[in-house]
Amino acid sequence: MDFYYSPGSAPCRSVLMTAKALGVEFDKKIVVNTRAGDQFKPEYLKINPQHTIPTLNDNGFALWESRAIMVYLVEKHGQDDKLFPKDTQKQALINQRLYFDMGTLYKSFADYYYPQIFLKQAPNAESYKKIESAFEIFNALLEGQTYAAGDYSLADIALLATVSTFDVAGFNYKRYSNVAKWYEQVKEVTPGWVINWTGCLEFRKYFDN
């Protein structure tokens, strides 16, 4: 399996952490420099015409969207189903949290920070309110819970990649006590945390600049 990624990208880091948790080694890890336009090269577009990262090429089978890749890795290489249980309701809850991450929490990060980082725009107060709203929802979801969807799962890995990105951006997630407690717990139990944090520090250069 070949994995196309950027070390600083939260979605890419979520796949790397999943692979680490499963003991999966990629045959090749190819860094895609999106600032240089690597994603638009013909050889990459042939694999992923949507020109996004991350992308997995498993012996000719191409898959992108990080959460889809995470599920694929578990279902193909997992020794058990702990990270993505076969139980219908447990799986549905994990899927809901994954979609919450993609469509609400991580989206709020992208909508607020990316225009500042890549387009040099001024901060948008309305977009910042959406971050606060997303964290309020996540905090409520965690009430009385150790993990995001019952037992530790892919949902925690994806959300960890996102919240750690907010962390290096300087967002005060500690205002949300359940999130702060969850974050410390999940950092401890996720095998690929060091890989993730190394990527976070790579991403922080955009804020340092």
Side-chain angles (χ1 to χ4, degrees):
M1 291 189 296
D2 296 341
F3 185 57
Y4 297 81
Y5 77 114
S6 173
S9 158
C12 294
R13 288 186 271 112
S14 66
V15 175
L16 291 172
M17 286 191 283
T18 301
K20 183 71 173 178
L22 295 169
V24 169
E25 295 286 343
F26 297 113
D27 295 296
K28 293 180 183 177
K29 290 196 292 186
I30 301 103
V31 174
V32 178
N33 185 343
T34 55
R35 302 300 295 274
D38 288 355
Q39 71 275 28
F40 297 112
K41 291 181 178 179
E43 57 269 28
Y44 191 74
L45 290 173
K46 187 176 180 179
I47 300 169
N48 177 355
Q50 198 175 344
H51 51 78
T52 55
I53 55 170
T55 294
L56 181 73
N57 185 358
D58 186 3
N59 197 32
F61 173 71
L63 185 66
W64 53 95
E65 294 296 342
S66 61
R67 296 155 192 87
I69 296 171
M70 293 166 72
V71 171
Y72 175 76
L73 290 176
V74 169
E75 294 192 326
K76 183 171 182 180
H77 297 284
Q79 298 299 311
D80 53 48
D81 69 344
K82 289 181 180 178
L83 290 176
F84 195 66
K86 292 181 173 61
D87 179 90
T88 304
Q89 291 189 352
K90 290 181 179 179
Q91 192 175 106
L93 192 60
I94 292 168
N95 279 327
Q96 189 278 323
R97 300 298 195 258
L98 291 173
Y99 296 143
F100 166 74
D101 177 44
M102 178 177 68
T104 301
L105 189 62
Y106 183 72
K107 184 177 187 300
S108 73
F109 179 92
D111 289 348
Y112 179 71
Y113 288 106
Y114 284 177
Q116 298 176 58
I117 294 170
F118 301 118
L119 301 176
K120 306 303 180 184
Q121 294 181 2
N124 183 295
E126 289 304 311
S127 295
Y128 190 82
K129 289 179 183 177
K130 290 181 180 179
I131 292 177
E132 294 179 315
S133 174
F135 269 86
E136 287 168 5
I137 294 168
F138 189 28
N139 200 62
L141 292 175
L142 289 169
E143 184 64 35
Q145 306 293 321
T146 302
Y147 298 112
D151 296 327
Y152 178 78
S153 70
L154 288 182
D156 295 289
I157 295 175
L159 288 159
L160 176 61
T162 297
V163 173
S164 58
T165 310
F166 277 105
D167 188 0
V168 293
F171 179 76
N172 184 16
Y173 66 88
K174 292 182 180 179
R175 289 183 293 161
Y176 308 91
S177 59
N178 294 334
V179 174
K181 183 178 178 181
W182 165 87
Y183 185 42
E184 293 305 315
Q185 171 68 15
V186 176
K187 284 193 290 186
E188 289 295 322
V189 301
T190 301
W193 165 251
V194 173
I195 297 170
N196 177 72
W197 190 244
T198 300
C200 284
L201 297 179
E202 172 74 14
F203 190 74
R204 190 164 68 184
K205 67 184 181 184
Y206 293 116
F207 298 96
D208 293 341
N209 292 335

